[in-house]
Amino acid sequence: MDAWLLVILSLPLCLTLHVLLRSRSRNKRRPRLPPGPPTVPFLAKFIWLRRSIFDIEPILRQLHAKLGPIVTLRVTSNPAIFIADRSLAHQALVQSGGAFADRPPAVEPNRFLTSNQYDISSSPYGPRWRLLRRNLTSEILHPSRVKLFAPARRWVLQILVDKLRAQARTKDGAVVVMESFQYAMFCLLVLMCFGEKLDEKAIKEIEAIQRYLLLKFTEFPIFGFFPKITKVLFRRRWNEIVAGRKKMEDIYIPLIKARQNRKQQSGEGSYVCSYVDSLHGIQLPEEGGRKLSESEMVSLCSEFMNAGTDTTANALQWVMANLVKHQDMQGKVAEEIGRVVGSEAEEIEEEHLQRMPYLKAVIMEGLRRHPPGHFVLPHTVAEDTTLDGYLIPKGADVNFMVAEMGWDEKVWEEPMEFKPERFSAGGAGEGVDLTGSREIKMMPFGAGRRMCPGLGLAMLHLEYFVANLVWEFEWKPADGEKVDLSENLEFTVGMKHPLRARIFPRNK
């Protein structure tokens, strides 16, 4: 009897041990998460200091040097995975593009500012995202449509040149270029978005609210942690974001309605289809064919202007800073322009740009050495998958370190130096594919299905404005100053000390 009692009492223990051993066996076979630091100290640091995910790049470099090209951080309940290796990025974004094409659920304040992810960049991978992206690429960013905005680019170039001349006259030839670059790019994006040439006061008002909300988004990532609690604890800051969004809608919705009410007249040469025009025609099949709400249109317009303003303006500043620092390179650009257009040309036309390989090399080197964004927006996977033998769990944030890939010493000799010749015949960058479809050597526009759809437009703007600025002026360092290429992060990566230079009319 005692023996049977002992057997009965031991059965639960045996069953428990059996389950534990089987679980341990399965865990041995199941891939592990990529390595990372202890969870609690890291999480506590970011909660209490309320630092942005953009601020952790130096920490990530240390972790990658210690743990390898793919690491895990637990900043929230979901792991955040960071990939610094270009080959792994190609495997994920191109070879397994469909698996890695989703976006994480939006957290506050991004959820609020995007009308619950009704924009292209944060929308989940699926029919709505495909519809919105296809509309943008076919109606606005297709080369035939981009060409129609050539008069707008000439108009904006004149605005920029006039601003630089006026600034130089009041400051002994010295100009601080970034504000003028931002304003010029914003004028162009406002026209492409709303279809109208607004006056300077209206453009400044739109620019101010865009920048205000963009900085609020990057300044207060704390709302991503327990939003119901943090909205109460930081009520004043949350109310500022709500009020800012309300002001944006008050400015944008009248412009959206005015464009809708304007009737397109047959043969009216000045009428070019704008982004807002295309949004009015969208219907959402998965939602009963309804049209976009005004609030959703505001979010899409805001995204359109944000995506092409600071990124392009910062890239333009980085390129011009290097041409000021390296006078020999600036001379080569000017010589190439002269050979193509002739010394009497007043302006470089867009068709001339295709015959300027050194100019293109300068732009490419600027994007490699100084990508405006050091990360692409986070990706996620819809189901558990593996990469490099590690588990990428469903719902994890997957981040790709753009700058590290463009600075890979295995590809680029002296990667921190500015050398446009890399992109000439025989250089490491010869024939480099910015889409990354064959191989990723640099990815300033991302890669794969979520690659920035504005790649072609951005390259055109950079080549067009750099060529005309070099042809219009000689750019020299400000008296007694050296060009400082230190970085500063807001939403994009700009210059810590904005470029100050002296400009003189170029003797052609």
Side-chain angles (χ1 to χ4, degrees):
M1 186 63 132
D2 290 344
W4 280 106
L5 182 61
L6 182 62
V7 168
I8 291 170
L9 292 174
S10 65
L11 277 176
L13 179 61
C14 292
L15 288 171
T16 301
L17 288 172
H18 177 69
V19 170
L20 289 173
L21 289 171
R22 287 194 62 184
S23 174
R24 186 175 181 182
S25 176
R26 283 198 302 270
N27 287 338
K28 284 184 178 179
R29 293 193 298 269
R30 191 169 185 254
R32 297 178 295 110
L33 280 171
T39 301
V40 174
F42 193 87
L43 178 60
K45 183 176 183 180
F46 273 79
I47 288 178
W48 293 112
L49 296 182
R50 288 173 284 147
R51 295 177 62 182
S52 166
I53 199 69
F54 298 110
D55 295 332
I56 66 172
E57 196 171 5
I59 300 171
L60 285 168
R61 288 199 186 103
Q62 296 172 13
L63 291 174
H64 282 297
K66 180 181 179 181
L67 302 175
I70 176 170
V71 300
T72 302
L73 303 181
R74 288 190 176 272
V75 182
T76 66
S77 57
N78 283 330
I81 295 168
F82 291 83
I83 297 170
D85 180 80
R86 60 191 185 86
S87 297
L88 292 180
H90 188 266
Q91 288 179 38
L93 296 175
V94 179
Q95 296 174 1
S96 303
F100 284 83
D102 214 348
R103 289 283 193 234
V107 296
E108 302 294 8
N110 198 40
R111 184 198 303 275
F112 174 66
L113 296 177
T114 61
S115 303
N116 198 23
Q117 296 183 272
Y118 269 80
D119 63 354
I120 299 170
S121 56
S122 70
S123 186
Y125 185 62
R128 186 178 75 214
W129 171 80
R130 280 189 284 269
L131 176 64
L132 295 175
R133 184 180 171 104
R134 184 169 61 247
N135 173 74
L136 175 63
T137 56
S138 63
E139 297 298 323
I140 301 300
L141 300 181
H142 189 276
S144 63
R145 295 300 180 101
V146 168
K147 191 174 182 179
L148 297 176
F149 287 98
R153 284 184 282 277
R154 287 194 293 271
W155 169 64
V156 167
L157 174 63
Q158 192 59 54
I159 289 174
L160 177 56
V161 168
D162 289 346
K163 279 189 170 291
L164 293 174
R165 282 178 179 154
Q167 193 179 154
R169 283 195 297 268
T170 61
K171 298 186 179 180
D172 300 324
V175 294
V176 181
V177 301
M178 188 56 185
E179 185 176 339
S180 297
F181 286 174
Q182 286 175 320
Y183 179 74
M185 293 303 106
F186 201 73
C187 283
L188 184 50
L189 270 294
V190 168
L191 176 55
M192 293 181 72
C193 183
F194 296 112
E196 306 292 342
K197 288 183 179 179
L198 304 180
D199 60 32
E200 184 168 353
K201 180 182 177 183
I203 291 173
K204 289 280 190 182
E205 187 178 34
I206 296 171
E207 185 181 28
I209 193 61
Q210 286 280 130
R211 180 158 297 279
Y212 175 82
L213 287 176
L214 192 63
L215 292 178
K216 289 294 179 187
F217 166 67
T218 56
E219 285 175 2
F220 300 123
I222 188 63
F223 293 118
F225 297 98
F226 312 110
K228 290 183 179 180
I229 298 173
T230 51
K231 284 180 186 179
V232 174
L233 291 176
F234 303 98
R235 185 183 300 109
R236 181 181 59 81
R237 294 178 179 179
W238 179 254
N239 288 341
E240 288 174 359
I241 294 173
V242 172
R245 172 67 185 202
K246 175 65 166 55
K247 183 176 180 180
M248 175 181 278
E249 293 191 354
D250 289 344
I251 296 170
Y252 289 13
I253 289 175
L255 294 170
I256 291 170
K257 287 181 175 179
R259 190 67 181 182
Q260 185 177 28
N261 294 332
R262 178 180 172 184
K263 294 182 179 179
Q264 183 174 359
Q265 299 177 3
S266 177
E268 186 182 358
S270 63
Y271 188 95
V272 176
C273 180
S274 69
Y275 189 42
V276 163
D277 295 328
S278 73
L279 297 180
H280 283 304
I282 288 179
Q283 294 180 311
L284 302 168
E286 73 279 11
E287 298 183 42
R290 75 167 179 88
K291 293 195 171 185
L292 293 168
S293 70
E294 290 175 344
S295 180
E296 289 161 356
M297 289 189 192
V298 168
S299 295
L300 285 159
C301 289
S302 176
E303 174 190 48
F304 180 81
M305 290 181 285
N306 274 339
T309 301
D310 271 13
T311 50
T312 306
N314 268 309
L316 183 57
Q317 180 181 221
W318 282 118
V319 169
M320 294 308 300
N322 277 283
L323 292 180
V324 172
K325 183 173 183 177
H326 303 285
Q327 291 287 306
D328 56 329
M329 296 177 190
Q330 185 182 158
K332 288 181 182 179
V333 172
E335 289 171 11
E336 181 177 69
I337 294 171
R339 288 196 303 272
V340 172
V341 304
S343 60
E344 301 300 319
E346 292 297 320
E347 179 190 342
I348 291 85
E349 302 289 344
E350 293 177 15
E351 56 266 25
H352 295 144
L353 300 174
Q354 301 303 316
R355 292 182 281 150
M356 300 180 185
Y358 187 74
L359 169 70
K360 187 175 184 65
V362 168
I363 302 299
M364 293 287 283
E365 179 67 347
L367 292 171
R368 182 203 67 80
R369 177 60 187 86
H370 305 285
H374 282 197
F375 299 87
V376 295
L377 292 174
H379 291 242
T380 194
V381 291
E383 300 294 340
D384 287 0
T385 187
T386 58
L387 182 68
D388 198 33
Y390 292 110
L391 171 68
I392 310 296
K394 176 182 177 180
D397 289 3
V398 185
N399 303 272
F400 298 87
M401 300 183 69
V402 170
E404 297 302 308
M405 296 173 199
W407 300 342
D408 187 348
E409 293 181 344
K410 297 175 183 177
V411 178
W412 310 100
E413 184 180 351
E414 295 183 295
M416 306 312 285
E417 298 299 317
F418 191 85
K419 296 182 176 182
E421 290 74 15
R422 303 177 198 276
F423 295 91
S424 302
E430 181 184 9
V432 69
D433 176 18
L434 280 179
T435 69
S437 58
R438 299 188 304 272
E439 176 188 17
I440 291 177
K441 289 186 175 181
M442 54 188 283
M443 49 179 283
F445 298 96
R449 303 188 188 195
R450 287 283 188 166
M451 183 183 67
C452 174
L455 186 158
L457 183 68
M459 291 299 292
L460 170 61
H461 286 174
L462 289 172
E463 292 176 19
Y464 177 75
F465 286 102
V466 169
N468 278 287
L469 288 173
V470 170
W471 192 237
E472 188 69 36
F473 303 113
E474 287 187 65
W475 294 73
K476 303 284 187 182
D479 289 335
E481 297 182 20
K482 292 184 178 180
V483 178
D484 184 351
L485 298 178
S486 302
E487 295 175 346
N488 178 60
L489 176 69
E490 284 187 345
F491 187 71
T492 53
V493 180
M495 297 180 68
K496 185 175 182 179
H497 303 287
L499 174 64
R500 243 175 61 89
R502 291 179 301 143
I503 57 173
F504 307 93
R506 184 170 291 279
N507 183 2
K508 303 170 187 177

